[in-house]
Amino acid sequence: MVAFGKKLRESQIQEWQGYYLDYKLMKKKLNRYTQQIEVGTQNRHLVLKDFSILLDSEIEKIVMFLLQQQGVLASKLLNLGEQYDSVLQQVDGAKIPELQEAYRSVGQDLLRILSFVEMNAIGLRKILKKFDKRFGYRFTDYYVKTRANHPYSQLRQVCKQVGVGAVVGAISRNLADLQDFQQHCGNYISIYDQPAFSHPDPVLDSIRAAVNRLSNSTSFLHYLGKHALLMGDDLQSPSEDHADDGRYHFMSLLLNLANTFLYMVNTYIIVPTADNYSMTLGAAATVCGVVIGSMAVAQVFSSVYFSAWSNRSYMRPLVFSSIILLVGNTLYALAYDLNSISVLLIGRLFCGLGSARAVNRRYISDCVPLKLRMQASAGFVSAGALGMACGPALACLLQTNFKIYKLTFNEDTLPGWIMALAWLIYLLWLSISFKEPSRVTTENIVPRESNSGKIVNISVENGPTQPLLSNSKAKQKDGDGDTDCDDAEENPTEIQKPVNSIVSAYRLLTPSVKVQLYIYFMLKYAMEIVLAESSVITGYYFIWSTSSVAIFLACLGLTVLPVNVVVGSYISNMFEERWTFKQVLLASEILVCIGILLSFHVLIPYSVPQYVSSALITFVSAEVLEGVNLSLLSRVMSSRLSRGTYNGGLLSTEAGTLARVIADGTITLAGFWGESKLLNTTLVPALVICVSSIVATCFTYNSLY
């Protein structure tokens, strides 16, 4: 990967060369400031003032030229509009192709403008990041907040591409109407009257892709898709995207999503009956924590080997996963007739060893084309959420008891038999329909600058957090003689290497990333405590039946997607996205803490409203927190962690799985003090972990995002 300064020069439109951000000049300014501060001839306030003035001047140059070019496009569209009206009045079909080409030409000019804005936006983000890194000062927060929120903001032109939407709309509408007119001899329908009536055009597809890259989209689809932590190459070249098209197979993607759904159903289908099954086999009810958690214990290890296996194949690990899950669920069901708690636990361990979520995530990252990757990522998250809700709901329907030969089929064993049958059907479907894609050498794949980190990220935090000049004396150099060793994302030898060792992955974890992973651990711990001990708690305090517990858990699971829709839509409508993410993150942590506090049984009799409301607050707040947390994690995590065995998705999965293991173990250990003390005993560590995560968030608040 070339240094950004060189990439900027190579990507410039030659006749517009003088209007791009002077990245080289600003890097030289940073070097000069460093030298001046070291010898004591410059102070912090003058550096901030001087660099702010320089940035203001550069942004003004960019924006004035951008407005000029938008005016040229608007003038061309006005002239074409007159020709368009003339064609409609004269019903002259012969002139339509010529007019269509003229609109496409304007579309090509718009693509040049979008490329101009994109390169300058990346340059602004990089130089601000370089300033913060060099001097240990959160200048970016201050600068972007003060400039973007001002009523005469020029930065807003770069952030939100004001005026581009009107040009895109004019080109799209007129091309569509001309095509309708040509095909239907004047009996056409406007795109405004029938929005779903689409007219694909290569120019419009290119414009749409460029706008999506540029706008740092936070629509619900993009918000949800980021939960999968698929930090792919947002600036992927057309040739690379066509290569992905050759590897993409819809049915194979559907099989990966089905695997995700079935595995989540498999995880939660036993939760309502695990305590009763344990007691039937002669163990205490609280052993349900070990029964539920044994699957997570095995998943800690299976995630690693499945992630490594996916470097070589996708189908073989999925086949292996299905066979292991088929065996595991069969053992789980047979444990009843064998009267063996050991067989029960071995069955659940086998189920955990069959967790192929790393393969599912990796297939989307490697084989789905860029234009479909966000939709596929959102599908991955939705499939998991739906499975989480369907598991307990399905358990509610299995309230029966009968025998076939010597095999017992009841509410305890049917979850195992049903899932064994489901995995058998899935295995047959997999062997018939899955298409193994061709392999691509990862060493030849060079991650590009992700548009998720553009200057559009806004914060209202300001002020210094460290001394202006950090102790480490970074030396820098671009292609013309300046050194740039302090920017890891510009190191061509390091950034190309996939992360295939835990040591390499750990070295890439900044304090912000570590805090985000800890927050993910905390929320998964809190959610697992609520879910895993629900059958024991409700049975002890309220004498709920298995059906009641299953309905309660299914209702909790069904809140996942609606909550994400609301939060994702809220964030997508906020201009100050960076500040909004951080606000929602901290607020969600506090609400999780409140939910945990309300769950304690102190003095007054424990009631159903208290339990249900506190569980709902804890669970829903954790859902909101998970969405924002993973979206932030996808931005602050190194791009190198998008590939390799120890990728970002695996690290987050391991953090969440470890949280589930510890939570389930806590439930079983707390059972030694009796069911009467189980609730408070398990909530104490959850509260401690939650409070510590809030403290950690406050300490790293200014460095998030």
Side-chain angles (χ1 to χ4, degrees):
M1 180 177 177
V2 297
F4 177 74
K6 184 177 180 182
K7 181 180 178 181
L8 179 61
R9 289 193 300 274
E10 292 174 348
S11 304
Q12 286 179 355
I13 299 169
Q14 291 304 312
E15 58 267 33
W16 296 356
Q17 200 169 26
Y19 301 101
Y20 281 87
L21 181 78
D22 198 336
Y23 189 73
K24 180 180 177 182
L25 171 64
M26 287 196 268
K27 284 178 63 179
K28 288 183 176 179
K29 278 277 189 180
L30 295 186
N31 289 333
R32 190 174 300 122
Y33 294 148
T34 303
Q35 296 169 1
Q36 290 172 345
I37 291 174
E38 285 177 349
V39 299
T41 59
Q42 187 65 280
N43 63 53
R44 181 184 67 191
H45 297 293
L46 290 178
V47 166
L48 296 177
K49 180 179 179 181
D50 186 57
F51 197 64
S52 296
I53 292 172
L54 177 60
L55 277 174
D56 290 341
S57 175
E58 288 293 308
I59 291 173
E60 182 175 301
K61 175 185 69 176
I62 295 167
V63 169
M64 291 300 106
F65 179 74
L66 177 61
L67 292 175
Q68 182 187 57
Q69 293 303 311
Q70 288 178 349
V72 171
L73 287 190
S75 178
K76 289 182 180 180
L77 287 172
L78 282 175
N79 292 333
L80 289 176
E82 295 175 359
Q83 298 177 40
Y84 174 86
D85 293 337
S86 175
V87 167
L88 292 186
Q89 291 173 3
Q90 298 175 12
V91 195
D92 188 357
K95 292 185 178 180
I96 289 180
E98 180 182 346
L99 193 55
Q100 285 175 321
E101 284 303 314
Y103 273 112
R104 292 190 184 103
S105 177
V106 175
Q108 295 292 344
D109 291 339
L110 176 60
L111 283 172
R112 283 156 53 92
I113 291 177
L114 292 174
S115 174
F116 172 81
V117 177
E118 182 174 24
M119 293 307 297
N120 282 297
I122 294 173
L124 282 170
R125 183 192 70 82
K126 279 183 168 288
I127 202 65
L128 285 167
K129 178 181 177 182
K130 197 176 292 292
F131 187 98
D132 287 350
K133 183 180 289 187
R134 178 73 68 88
F135 302 115
Y137 185 87
R138 289 293 156 196
F139 174 70
T140 300
D141 293 345
Y142 157 76
Y143 184 83
V144 177
K145 170 203 167 184
T146 54
R147 269 59 179 176
N149 292 335
H150 196 277
Y152 305 128
S153 170
Q154 292 179 333
L155 184 61
R156 192 184 295 263
Q157 291 279 342
V158 181
C159 292
K160 301 300 279 186
Q161 304 90 48
V162 178
V164 169
V167 177
V168 174
I171 296 172
S172 303
R173 180 182 65 83
N174 287 297
L175 276 175
D177 288 354
L178 284 170
Q179 186 172 341
D180 277 331
F181 183 83
Q182 189 178 36
Q183 292 178 351
H184 302 100
C185 302
N187 297 321
Y188 63 95
I189 301 174
S190 170
I191 61 170
Y192 293 121
D193 298 322
Q194 190 172 346
F197 191 61
S198 61
H199 298 266
D201 189 285
V203 171
L204 295 182
D205 286 341
S206 299
I207 292 173
R208 191 176 301 111
V211 170
N212 286 340
R213 285 200 314 269
L214 185 59
S215 61
N216 189 27
S217 301
T218 53
S219 64
F220 167 61
L221 188 63
H222 286 70
Y223 169 83
L224 189 61
K226 289 183 185 299
H227 295 21
L229 277 187
L230 300 171
M231 299 167 289
D233 307 340
D234 289 327
L235 296 188
Q236 190 169 3
S237 68
S239 62
E240 290 170 323
D241 201 29
H242 290 320
D244 282 342
D245 283 334
R247 307 177 71 214
Y248 171 64
H249 182 235
F250 173 74
M251 188 57 68
S252 300
L253 172 62
L254 191 61
L255 280 160
N256 275 279
L257 297 180
N259 184 283
T260 300
F261 169 77
L262 286 176
Y263 189 78
M264 292 303 290
V265 172
N266 207 153
T267 301
Y268 289 99
I269 192 173
I270 70 152
V271 173
T273 57
D275 60 331
N276 184 64
Y277 203 171
S278 300
M279 289 189 293
T280 301
L281 298 180
T286 52
V287 174
C288 69
V290 174
V291 174
I292 297 169
S294 56
M295 192 170 178
V297 170
Q299 190 179 345
V300 171
F301 303 99
S302 66
S303 297
V304 178
Y305 69 72
F306 272 116
S307 182
W309 200 350
S310 63
N311 290 326
R312 301 185 300 275
S313 174
Y314 301 101
M315 182 172 181
R316 281 176 290 179
L318 288 177
V319 170
F320 177 77
S321 165
S322 303
I323 294 173
I324 291 294
L325 283 158
L326 173 60
V327 172
N329 281 289
T330 302
L331 289 174
Y332 182 86
L334 289 174
Y336 187 92
D337 292 305
L338 296 174
N339 194 28
S340 173
I341 190 71
S342 299
V343 173
L344 182 74
L345 293 174
I346 291 172
R348 288 295 287 178
L349 284 170
F350 265 75
C351 290
L353 292 174
S355 171
R357 286 173 64 83
V359 181
N360 307 144
R361 182 186 284 110
R362 187 71 175 271
Y363 183 88
I364 296 172
S365 176
D366 291 352
C367 303
V368 176
L370 183 64
K371 59 188 176 184
L372 301 175
R373 195 170 300 158
M374 192 58 72
Q375 291 92 324
S377 303
F380 173 80
V381 176
S382 301
L386 187 60
M388 183 180 180
C390 287
L394 186 57
C396 180
L397 303 176
L398 303 178
Q399 306 302 304
T400 185
N401 193 343
F402 61 93
K403 296 192 73 167
I404 298 179
Y405 297 109
K406 295 182 180 181
L407 298 179
T408 303
F409 297 86
N410 57 24
E411 63 178 21
D412 296 328
T413 63
L414 275 172
W417 292 121
I418 291 294
M419 292 312 305
L421 178 62
W423 286 113
L424 177 61
I425 295 172
Y426 176 81
L427 182 60
L428 296 174
W429 181 23
L430 181 72
S431 60
I432 295 171
S433 302
F434 193 87
K435 179 182 177 182
E436 183 75 70
S438 58
R439 306 302 299 178
V440 175
T441 304
T442 56
E443 284 76 5
N444 295 331
I445 300 174
V446 180
R448 286 169 171 74
E449 176 63 38
S450 170
N451 68 349
S452 62
K454 287 182 182 157
I455 196 66
V456 70
N457 304 330
I458 310 298
S459 172
V460 298
E461 287 294 305
N462 59 6
T465 59
Q466 301 176 29
L468 184 61
L469 185 62
S470 60
N471 292 331
S472 57
K473 299 179 180 179
K475 304 292 181 189
Q476 298 197 305
K477 185 175 181 181
D478 66 8
D480 291 323
D482 299 324
T483 319
D484 219 353
C485 301
D486 65 335
D487 200 341
E489 62 192 11
E490 293 182 7
N491 188 327
T493 59
E494 289 298 320
I495 197 167
Q496 296 183 25
K497 298 179 182 177
V499 181
N500 291 322
S501 74
I502 191 65
V503 175
S504 299
Y506 184 79
R507 288 173 179 170
L508 291 172
L509 300 183
T510 63
S512 297
V513 175
K514 291 176 182 176
V515 169
Q516 291 303 311
L517 288 174
Y518 183 66
I519 292 172
Y520 190 67
F521 174 91
M522 179 275 291
L523 68 91
K524 284 297 182 182
Y525 186 95
M527 293 173 78
E528 188 69 10
I529 288 293
V530 171
L531 295 173
E533 70 177 12
S534 58
S535 57
V536 180
I537 296 299
T538 55
Y540 177 79
Y541 287 103
F542 318 126
I543 319 177
W544 279 9
S545 65
T546 300
S547 297
S548 300
V549 178
I551 293 172
F552 170 68
L553 293 177
C555 290
L556 279 182
L558 286 173
T559 62
V560 173
L561 286 179
V563 166
N564 279 317
V565 170
V566 172
V567 177
S569 300
Y570 167 69
I571 290 177
S572 68
N573 292 324
M574 298 297 293
F575 176 65
E576 294 182 73
E577 182 191 348
R578 178 177 182 175
W579 178 237
T580 303
F581 265 112
K582 291 158 70 173
Q583 282 183 315
V584 175
L585 180 81
L586 191 55
S588 300
E589 288 182 86
I590 294 172
L591 283 174
V592 171
C593 186
I594 292 173
I596 294 172
L597 286 171
L598 292 176
S599 300
F600 278 92
H601 179 204
V602 182
L603 300 178
I604 62 175
Y606 207 55
S607 63
V608 171
Q610 180 185 352
Y611 174 74
V612 172
S613 59
S614 60
L616 192 63
I617 292 172
T618 303
F619 193 81
V620 171
S621 301
E623 288 173 10
V624 175
L625 180 58
E626 181 176 5
V628 179
N629 167 253
L630 290 179
S631 294
L632 282 171
L633 190 57
S634 70
R635 287 164 166 84
V636 300
M637 193 172 279
S638 169
S639 59
R640 282 189 62 197
L641 290 170
S642 63
R643 295 185 181 274
T645 301
Y646 293 90
N647 54 68
L650 176 65
L651 295 178
S652 64
T653 299
E654 292 291 85
T657 304
L658 189 60
R660 290 174 51 208
V661 170
I662 296 174
D664 292 328
T666 303
I667 292 171
T668 299
L669 289 175
F672 287 109
W673 285 279
E675 293 183 19
S676 61
K677 298 181 179 179
L678 176 66
L679 180 65
N680 289 349
T681 305
T682 54
L683 289 176
V684 168
L687 181 62
V688 172
I689 294 172
C690 185
V691 171
S692 63
S693 76
I694 294 173
V695 173
T697 301
C698 292
F699 272 107
T700 59
Y701 193 74
N702 288 332
S703 62
L704 296 178
Y705 208 152

